[in-house]
Amino acid sequence: MHDLLAAKRIVITGAARGLGFSFAQAAARQGANVILCDILGDRLQESVELLCREGLNAEGLTFDIANPDAINQAFDTIGKKGSIDGLINNAALATGVGGKPLDEYDLTLWDKVMTVNVRGTWLVTKAALPLLKQCTSKQGSSTAKIVNIASDTALWGAPKLMAYVASKGAIISMTRSMARELGVHRICVNAIAPGLTKVEATEYVPVERHQLYENGRALQGEQMPDDVTGTALYLLSPMSDFVTGQLIPVNGGFIFN
């Protein structure tokens, strides 16, 4: 199957590299027109060019989800080409956010993590809503989709990672509230909670934490980005048109929900 998302227009934040790029590539290979968004401008351009060389439909927008004006300007630009069918809220501050117990955690870092991971996800969703509603208002259109990327750290309470864990717990709760509010507009909102995935953003994580996951999973071994993309494709596709407000842990059985 190569047309699961045929002609759908999907926005992915944090898409220049890692898990976000894998989401963009997987969606484009299923026929979607993907809009990659990231603060890393040069890396974003390289990723877009990589997809285009593969013959896929991709474009990029550089902006910081900590900047409300930049978010609004970006979605104004996206809207000039029409509605969108889906949004993956993947962008998050995940590097250099842990290592200290809660009583030593830095206040400035706490605020920065919350600004990006929680407020940023809310503001991106808010800016995307008019374009998602345009999609669902079309005659004969299916539902629109929002997929929020949480983390299984919020399910098992990973230590020495307080702000990140709290921010991802907020994403899970926000997902449920969004689903209640947006169902009337035929917009489905779900969350994925990946386990520790081998990407650039997790290279700083101590070896012991990687080993804890790799040895503690029901499906033992490393988790790679492609292990998560199938669930995202399902949640973006018509196969999940009656699924909303749900959290799907994708971690090889490290945590059972």
Side-chain angles (χ1 to χ4, degrees), residues 211-224:
Q211 291 176 341
L212 174 67
Y213 268 92
E214 292 165 14
N215 298 329
R217 293 180 171 118
L219 303 173
Q220 291 191 354
E222 296 178 342
Q223 177 166 341
M224 304 304 290

Side-chain angles (χ1 to χ4, degrees), residues 175-205:
T175 295
R176 293 165 178 159
S177 184
M178 288 177 181
R180 293 283 184 190
E181 289 194 30
L182 300 182
V184 68
H185 301 293
R186 303 299 299 174
I187 298 172
C188 297
V189 189
N190 294 287
I192 297 173
L196 183 59
T197 306
K198 296 282 282 190
V199 294
E200 289 178 49
T202 61
E203 289 177 352
Y204 83 99
V205 176

Side-chain angles (χ1 to χ4, degrees), residues 110-158:
W110 173 280
D111 289 343
K112 186 176 181 181
V113 171
M114 293 301 167
T115 296
V116 174
N117 296 9
V118 181
R119 193 187 76 172
T121 296
W122 163 52
L123 291 178
V124 167
T125 302
K126 179 181 176 182
L129 273 180
L131 304 183
L132 292 164
K133 290 177 181 178
Q134 285 179 27
C135 166
T136 62
S137 67
K138 296 175 184 176
Q139 186 173 3
S141 174
S142 63
T143 56
K145 306 297 177 64
I146 298 173
V147 180
N148 294 327
I149 306 304
S151 167
D152 76 345
T153 58
L155 302 180
W156 71 274

Side-chain angles (χ1 to χ4, degrees), residues 99-106 110 159-163:
K100 293 185 177 181
L102 65 90
D103 56 333
E104 297 177 12
Y105 209 92
D106 181 74
W110 173 280
K160 296 185 178 181
L161 198 60
M162 182 61 66

